[in-house]
Amino acid sequence: MTEPNANDDYTYRSQLNTAIDQLRLALKTADTGERIRLLNGALQNTGNAIGQLAQFNADGTRRPPRE
């Protein structure tokens, strides 16, 4: 059984925090192009965080790689 890695938790939280920051900035900006860029970035970072979480079981152990 593998112990949860602090770097994995940091990566997940970092991606999620970045997405939240991008959403906050998108609400404040009046530039439509910038808003779209920020929202796209937030979606990408959220997807990355979900992908990071998908590598682990509920008990924190790492799932085996898919073939």
Side-chain angles (χ1 to χ4, degrees):
M1 192 146 95
T2 306
E3 290 296 318
N5 188 339
N7 286 335
D8 293 326
D9 187 50
Y10 174 78
T11 301
Y12 158 74
R13 289 181 187 279
S14 176
Q15 290 167 343
L16 212 51
N17 287 333
T18 301
I20 290 168
D21 289 343
Q22 288 171 320
L23 290 172
R24 287 181 179 149
L25 287 171
L27 287 172
K28 292 180 182 179
T29 187
D31 183 344
T32 304
E34 181 69 6
R35 183 174 289 159
I36 290 170
R37 187 189 70 75
L38 288 165
L39 292 174
N40 282 333
L43 282 172
Q44 183 177 10
N45 282 306
T46 302
N48 290 341
I50 290 169
Q52 184 75 18
L53 282 176
Q55 297 179 25
F56 299 93
N57 294 316
D59 63 358
T61 59
R62 194 174 274 284
R63 289 185 181 176
R66 292 186 178 187
E67 293 186 19

